[in-house]
Amino acid sequence: MKRATWSVVLAWALSGAAGAADLTLDEALAAVAVAHPDRRMAESDLALSRADRDQAASRKDFSLFLDGSLRTGRRLDGDWNPDNVGRIVARKPLLDFGRSGQAVAAADQEIAARQADLLNAESLRRIDIMARFFDVLLADQQYAADNEFMTVAYLDWDKARERFELGIGNRPDLLRLEAFYQDWRERRNASLQRMRSARQKLAHAMYSQDKLPTTLAEPVLQGNARPVPEYDSLLPWVMQKNPRVQALQAQLAAADARLASIRAERHPTLDAEVIGGGYSRESVIRDELSAGLVFNIPLYQGGRVDARTARELAQKERRAAELEKLKLDLSDTLLATLQEIEWLRGSGRAAADKQVEYRDWVLERARAEYELELKTNLGSSMAETQTALLRRKQVEYRLALALARLEALSGGSLPPVEGAPK
């Protein structure tokens, strides 16, 4: 009777609210588009780069401004007379010999870098949501197994306690069984806390912390069977498609463009200018309307250009070093990910499947013996079977995450595999 009561309590705890729709993996992954702080930071960086691009392009814009002065002056006859000036000036840069063009090119490359960073942030969020989703499923399964083990330990202790009260058995054995039960009770309670913690982390990853997910649907991971390329053929693809590589390459191109723009500061500029003016004192050397070309030829600028050039070169060298280090890290990460996929698909799956097969056989035998009242180890067999199933799910979840990381390394898509079905 007590065993039936424990089973009912466990089933109620894991079932959640009656009739509630289970959260699917696809529904959880749809939260990638939600304005999570990570996404908002990446979007803000992209918006900043676009603003910088508009600012750089505005250097060639037409400008219109009012220029004036209020003053008075004394003439040769000794009288003070007003000499006020009001002018409307229209100016349009014509040639700056590369300043604005290279600045715009640098801003365009920075936009490309920020777009790659946004793609990388989305990929990382997708992997994080998947991992948190799987953590909830595993936490539920672990709780079920630990609860079953605790139930068995409790029943053993309870039976020994009843026998001890009847004068059968000894106190050391009773204490040992009670300690064993308390250990499993502690593990079960820890698993219960992990269930709550895993759900909160999933809610935070989905950016819906005001509502914790209750029940999750078991995902159908059909993509776990897809073929993956070999390391030698995939490495060049990753070095070309990886978002972080693309971002750093774009930043290097932006640095080159900024260097060209800085060095162009030594070149002259040419503007077109139209001025309409009004004067309180007439003069033959003043024009009410004038137009002309204005040029500026730098003769000496001190160390300003050299200092800016040195700073930009230092930043470029740092970006180049970051890119080289990233490529080394990517090659190691790619190899480790492919090896993990190979291991999980090979010995990992085989070992988990055989463990499930063996535990199923033991469970069937224990169920038959239980019905014949030969032994009472059915509870332990059920718990061991759940543990074996948990191991099998861990393999599949880990494989799905490894494949997701492989896609993220490759910029979201893998190259076709020769001989693989399309």
Side-chain angles (χ1 to χ4, degrees):
M1 183 65 185
K2 291 179 180 178
R3 184 177 181 78
T5 302
W6 274 105
S7 300
V8 170
V9 172
L10 174 61
W12 176 84
L14 295 178
S15 62
D22 294 346
L23 177 68
T24 66
L25 180 58
D26 289 338
E27 291 172 345
L29 291 176
V32 172
V34 176
H36 187 274
D38 291 341
R39 181 184 180 89
R40 285 159 51 196
M41 286 188 290
E43 289 177 339
S44 296
D45 290 339
L46 177 58
L48 182 61
S49 295
R50 286 173 173 163
D52 290 341
R53 201 271 182 199
D54 293 340
Q55 183 179 9
S58 68
R59 297 170 63 171
K60 300 280 288 187
D61 286 350
F62 166 85
S63 61
L64 180 67
F65 56 90
L66 177 65
D67 181 16
S69 62
L70 298 176
R71 60 185 180 181
T72 183
R74 189 175 67 176
R75 307 188 69 178
L76 294 177
D77 56 9
D79 294 334
W80 289 85
N81 295 304
D83 189 15
N84 303 323
V85 178
R87 302 188 305 171
I88 294 180
V89 181
R91 183 172 295 170
K92 176 68 172 69
L94 299 179
L95 293 174
D96 58 11
F97 297 93
R99 286 181 177 84
S100 57
Q102 293 296 336
V104 170
D108 287 337
Q109 292 296 332
E110 288 291 347
I111 290 175
R114 297 309 177 186
Q115 288 173 334
D117 286 338
L118 177 59
L119 176 61
N120 188 59
E122 291 175 350
S123 298
L124 293 178
R125 277 207 64 213
R126 178 181 177 85
I127 293 172
D128 185 45
I129 291 175
M130 287 181 66
R132 301 307 180 186
F133 190 93
F134 295 153
D135 284 345
V136 172
L137 293 174
L138 292 175
D140 290 352
Q141 186 75 15
Q142 186 67 59
Y143 172 82
D146 291 344
N147 193 80
E148 190 69 33
F149 279 118
M150 186 198 71
T151 302
V152 173
Y154 173 80
L155 292 176
D156 290 343
W157 170 57
D158 187 56
K159 183 178 179 180
R161 183 176 57 181
E162 292 176 354
R163 289 166 56 86
F164 183 76
E165 292 173 354
L166 296 175
I168 304 173
N170 56 70
R171 187 167 185 80
D173 287 340
L174 180 62
L175 291 175
R176 176 179 59 82
L177 291 174
E178 183 180 3
F180 190 65
Y181 158 68
Q182 292 294 345
D183 285 342
W184 276 111
R185 181 170 176 265
E186 182 184 13
R187 294 187 192 181
R188 194 286 306 264
N189 290 341
S191 296
L192 185 62
Q193 291 180 348
R194 283 194 293 270
M195 289 174 61
R196 172 63 172 78
S197 176
R199 279 168 168 78
Q200 178 167 311
K201 291 179 180 179
L202 174 59
H204 286 176
M206 296 172 58
Y207 201 49
S208 60
Q209 59 269 34
D210 55 335
K211 183 179 180 182
L212 299 183
T214 54
T215 56
L216 275 60
E218 186 67 32
V220 180
L221 303 174
Q222 297 178 344
N224 281 7
R226 59 185 163 173
V228 296
E230 296 292 333
Y231 174 80
D232 292 336
S233 61
L234 187 56
L235 183 60
W237 177 278
V238 170
M239 294 304 175
Q240 179 184 1
K241 300 290 186 178
N242 182 265
R244 287 298 302 142
V245 170
Q246 292 179 341
L248 288 174
Q249 288 175 339
Q251 287 178 335
L252 282 174
D256 287 333
R258 280 193 295 270
L259 281 170
S261 178
I262 293 172
R263 288 166 178 152
E265 295 292 333
R266 294 190 174 96
H267 300 162
T269 60
L270 181 65
D271 299 341
E273 186 178 74
V274 177
I275 301 175
Y279 310 96
S280 62
R281 188 173 66 183
E282 296 293 335
S283 174
V284 295
I285 62 174
R286 291 175 173 173
D287 300 318
E288 293 184 356
L289 183 64
S290 64
L293 297 176
V294 179
F295 63 90
N296 180 284
I297 302 177
L299 299 179
Y300 178 72
Q301 294 178 304
R304 289 187 295 271
V305 174
D306 292 337
R308 292 173 60 191
T309 300
R311 185 177 188 278
E312 196 62 46
L313 284 172
Q315 289 183 331
K316 179 185 176 183
E317 180 59 28
R318 179 178 177 82
R319 292 289 181 267
E322 289 178 358
L323 179 59
E324 291 301 317
K325 185 177 185 302
L326 175 62
K327 289 182 176 180
L328 293 176
D329 293 341
L330 281 177
S331 62
D332 291 341
T333 303
L334 177 62
L335 179 60
T337 304
L338 289 174
Q339 287 178 332
E340 182 181 7
I341 292 172
E342 181 181 4
W343 164 61
L344 290 170
R345 286 179 170 176
S347 59
R349 268 181 176 169
D353 288 341
K354 190 55 64 176
Q355 189 67 224
V356 170
E357 181 182 351
Y358 170 69
R359 288 301 169 186
D360 284 341
W361 178 82
V362 172
L363 178 61
E364 289 301 320
R365 187 180 68 174
R367 186 174 287 114
E369 292 174 345
Y370 180 79
E371 293 173 355
L372 296 175
E373 298 184 355
L374 297 176
K375 292 183 178 180
T376 58
N377 63 344
L378 179 60
S380 297
S381 298
M382 293 175 63
E384 294 289 351
T385 299
Q386 289 181 340
T387 301
L389 291 173
L390 174 63
R391 178 178 175 181
R392 183 66 171 87
K393 288 182 178 181
Q394 285 176 329
V395 170
E396 292 303 318
Y397 296 161
R398 199 169 162 185
L399 179 58
L401 286 173
L403 289 168
R405 291 198 305 271
L406 192 64
E407 279 193 350
L409 290 174
S410 305
S413 63
L414 297 175
V417 180
E418 276 188 45
K422 296 183 180 179

